[in-house]
Amino acid sequence: MHFASDNWAGAHPLIASSLSTHATDYSQPYSDSPFDKQVQHHFSQIFERPVSVFYVATGTAANSLALSLVSKPGGIVLAHSEAHIVADECGAPEFLSGQLRIATVGGADGKIDAGLLRRKVESMDGDVHAGRANAISITQATEAGTLYSLEEIEAVAGVARDFGLPLHMDGARFANAVVALGCSPAEMTWKRGVDMLSFGATKNGCWCAEAVILFDESKAGDFPYIRKRTAQLFSKSRFVSAQFEAYFRDGLWLELARHANGMAARLVEAIGSSKEARLLGDAKSNEVFVVLPKTLVKTAREKGAVFYDWPTPAGLEIAEDEKVCRFVTSFATTEEDVKQLSAILQ
């Protein structure tokens, strides 16, 4: 019963097979092979427009280098207080850019409130002592397991547009959000005003497949140098392309995300009928946050359930004998896993 993170899951068999297939021949390195270019063109088809695609090793690298591309002296990136770039990346965006800082903006359910964002940007406008707003970053799906609606993305993008700021999306669980909203990748990104995307596939069945997507190719000129200077240029890039080729083939990426979300929905149903567990928030993707008695946490782990304790959200009051826990489903989660965990939580 592995519910700690979708990072714990392995690689889908079709993706592993593609890696093996492309291991048996010679190929141009550094994303210059015909195969690399073919796969990168597939990104353009998925997003319904020409895009620039740059492979990197991790989601942290994708976020940091995308923001570094648009960084300016005194620049401040605005993000939700629970964003991965704020809480989980060890200052990488600041370090790799050499000049950025991150300021936080509040909002319910892990999402930036567009009104608060506008006031924050207005308060910084023209104040050389405070620094200047440089970019806005949102996460889809959020770290709280929730989703920005298309209208909410557009509202944040409206603030970005009014102040001439690029909008970045951290898409570590991008596929989960696409299938949950029932929209196209284009509708959730550039058609709503997103300029840059950290496209994550590692959590959704790949071995190591992350990319920075730039929707305006004319602004991509500096990125190859930023990527090389930060040691993120793969020589044997075909092995990243091999993963993405299998990932996109016949809609596998959406199928895997749909399965993970479906397993989370079943877990939500079980928690709803539990007398001891209570659900936090409106779980829409593959992350489920629950308040549990500490005794039940201990029992669940003794019976083989693997999951993380989680910090108590601001404003939430829980009893001394309770904990907040996070359960994450993946492409590899089975119905039996959910059934066994559900029985424990009852």
Side-chain angles (χ1 to χ4, degrees):
M1 294 177 285
H2 286 278
F3 294 93
S5 172
D6 33 15
N7 282 326
W8 283 51
H12 187 274
L14 291 176
I15 291 168
S17 176
S18 185
L19 282 165
S20 297
T21 297
H22 289 276
T24 59
D25 204 354
Y26 286 85
S27 180
Q28 289 169 271
Y30 306 119
S31 295
D32 289 330
S33 74
F35 176 58
D36 287 318
K37 295 184 185 303
Q38 173 191 332
V39 172
Q40 291 173 16
H41 177 67
H42 200 159
F43 276 94
S44 295
Q45 294 176 319
I46 286 170
F47 285 102
E48 304 172 34
R49 66 177 291 169
V51 298
S52 295
V53 182
F54 299 95
Y55 300 154
V56 293
T58 66
T60 293
N63 292 337
S64 301
L65 301 194
L67 295 172
S68 294
L69 177 66
V70 298
S71 68
K72 298 176 181 177
I76 297 173
V77 177
L78 298 160
H80 193 273
S81 56
E82 297 173 13
H84 206 265
I85 61 171
V86 174
D88 295 286
E89 295 187 351
C90 197
E94 297 94 326
F95 175 74
L96 292 175
S97 70
Q99 58 187 5
L100 286 176
R101 292 175 291 153
I102 301 175
T104 60
V105 180
D109 301 323
K111 298 182 287 187
I112 288 177
D113 181 287
L116 294 176
L117 175 65
R118 182 174 293 277
R119 290 196 288 275
K120 182 76 170 180
V121 177
E122 287 174 342
S123 72
M124 299 166 62
D125 196 24
D127 184 359
V128 70
H129 302 285
R132 55 180 166 173
N134 198 159
I136 298 167
S137 180
I138 61 174
T139 309
Q140 181 77 330
T142 75
E143 286 80 1
T146 56
L147 299 169
Y148 286 88
S149 68
L150 300 184
E151 294 74 20
E152 288 171 327
I153 296 172
E154 200 160 15
V156 172
V159 178
R161 184 170 55 250
D162 289 347
F163 290 91
L165 303 175
L167 177 59
H168 166 258
M169 177 181 283
D170 178 349
R173 295 184 173 94
F174 185 80
N176 301 92
V178 168
V179 298
L181 289 180
C183 65
S184 73
E187 288 171 332
M188 202 173 74
T189 53
W190 64 270
K191 288 187 177 182
R192 290 295 179 279
V194 174
D195 300 291
M196 308 178 292
L197 169 67
S198 296
F199 186 98
T202 304
K203 294 179 185 293
N204 192 38
C206 286
W207 167 71
C208 176
E210 307 287 324
V212 174
I213 311 297
L214 303 178
F215 294 108
D216 184 347
E217 291 186 299
S218 69
K219 297 182 179 178
D222 289 339
F223 200 91
Y225 300 94
I226 292 172
R227 180 173 63 169
K228 176 63 176 177
R229 188 179 62 182
T230 53
Q232 289 294 319
L233 177 61
F234 285 97
S235 55
K236 296 185 179 181
S237 55
R238 70 183 184 275
F239 292 115
V240 184
S241 289
Q243 294 174 77
F244 279 126
E245 187 277 327
Y247 190 61
F248 293 137
R249 191 193 315 146
D250 298 325
L252 178 65
W253 68 300
L254 300 177
E255 177 187 328
L256 299 182
R258 195 171 289 113
H259 174 83
N261 288 6
M263 292 296 99
R266 293 198 176 194
L267 183 56
V268 166
E269 289 177 8
I271 293 167
S273 63
S274 171
K275 295 179 181 179
E276 295 195 86
R278 67 180 190 273
L279 187 67
L280 282 185
D282 187 21
K284 293 295 186 184
S285 58
N286 66 320
E287 293 182 277
V288 181
F289 294 85
V290 188
V291 177
L292 296 174
K294 291 180 181 178
T295 53
L296 185 54
V297 171
K298 184 174 183 291
T299 298
R301 286 179 170 145
E302 287 174 346
K303 292 185 176 182
V306 182
F307 55 93
Y308 287 146
D309 296 346
W310 208 252
T312 303
L316 175 69
E317 294 186 6
I318 63 174
E320 183 65 29
D321 62 348
E322 292 181 320
K323 278 185 177 181
V324 176
C325 299
R326 186 188 76 164
F327 297 85
V328 183
T329 54
S330 74
F331 80 94
T333 303
T334 66
E335 291 188 10
E336 184 60 26
D337 293 332
V338 175
K339 183 179 179 180
Q340 289 183 35
L341 179 62
S342 298
I344 295 170
L345 296 182
Q346 296 306 309

